Every structure is written in structure tokens, then in C-alpha cells.
Amino acid sequence: MTTIKISAGGYEFLAEAHPDAPQTVAAFLGLLPYTQKLIHVRWSGEGCWVPLGEYRLLLNEEPIGFENHTSHPSVGDVLFYPGPYSETEIIMAYGACSFSSKLGQLAGNHFLTITHGKENLRALGVKTLWEGAQDVRFELA
């Protein structure tokens, strides 16, 4: 099992790669270490996201599509939304979350599950809500 360390807002988390999203995981591993900005979600409830605009995650030069996509991530689930109906993004649920955009309901590939540090997800979410964008880094543990 592949373990990813996620550092954001002064908190550290460990996440396991989800076996039902092998293409998303493989393509994402190729980006590591990956640093971005994490902001609070706009319409999805209790979550934080990394907006990626028109970016397309590729595996063997082919865009990643939908694998084990869901609109209702649980606390600690990390989803990758490949587009095309809204911008590409990574979303991380810290509470009640229903993944959507200004265009309506979306579904993302559940590719990581936070297994350690989960108790700090709400604190990260609240910090991001009230203090603004936080640096986030994904790397192999």
C-alpha cells in the first residue's frame, strides 16, 4: 500500500492510496512531491480544495477519467475531479460534504484516504475558512 504524507496549515496527515482508483493514484504519484494552495470549498460544505483550472492529470499521455467517483466523500476522503464540467480539482472532506459546483453536483475519484491525523482535519478546515489559503504539500511518506 502506498502512503502519502500531506502537510497543510501546520498539520500533517498520512493517507493511503485507494485501490479502486489505480489510474488516478499512478498519475498523481508521478507529480510528487506536489505543492499547491488549499482553500475552503465554495458550495460543497465542510471541505477544502485545490483548484486546478484546466489542468488535466495524465497517465501514459492519456487524461484520467472517472474511476470510483463519488459525490459524498467521508471525513478524510481525498477526491480528484478530472473535469470537464467544472474545473479540475482536488477536494478533501473534513466534515459533512456534498461535492458540487456552480454547475451542480460533481463526482470525483476517491484516490486517497487519510488514516493518521484525521483528528486535525476540522482544525485545518476551520483555519482555511477563517484565515484563507494554506500551503499544501503531498509527498511520499
Side-chain angles (χ1 to χ4, degrees):
M1 186 67 67
T2 303
T3 303
I4 304 295
K5 178 180 167 186
I6 304 170
S7 305
Y11 300 98
E12 289 188 355
F13 308 93
L14 292 179
E16 298 295 331
H18 198 292
D20 293 337
Q23 293 180 348
T24 305
V25 169
F28 190 75
L29 290 175
L31 299 177
L32 301 181
Y34 185 67
T35 303
Q36 261 294 353
K37 290 287 189 185
L38 186 69
I39 62 176
H40 203 273
V41 297
R42 294 178 184 162
W43 358 90
S44 298
E46 296 177 318
C48 295
W49 68 305
V50 177
L52 300 172
E54 298 299 317
Y55 176 79
R56 293 294 175 247
L57 185 61
L58 303 176
L59 181 63
N60 301 321
E61 300 183 29
E62 292 293 322
I64 296 298
F66 291 105
E67 290 186 286
N68 64 335
H69 48 292
T70 182
S71 296
H72 302 284
S74 297
V75 173
D77 290 354
V78 182
L79 309 181
F80 178 83
Y81 174 70
Y85 306 108
S86 184
E87 71 180 289
T88 304
E89 65 185 86
I90 297 169
I91 184 170
M92 181 168 52
Y94 71 83
C97 193
S98 180
F99 185 23
S100 32
S101 74
K102 63 185 177 181
L103 299 175
Q105 197 75 35
L106 298 175
N109 297 338
H110 176 190
F111 77 108
L112 295 174
T113 303
I114 294 176
T115 56
H116 293 83
K118 210 176 199 180
E119 68 278 3
N120 294 317
L121 278 170
R122 177 161 295 282
L124 173 62
V126 170
K127 181 176 187 173
T128 304
L129 176 64
W130 291 105
E131 296 180 21
Q134 302 293 314
D135 290 328
V136 63
R137 181 177 173 88
F138 298 84
E139 60 190 315
L140 283 174

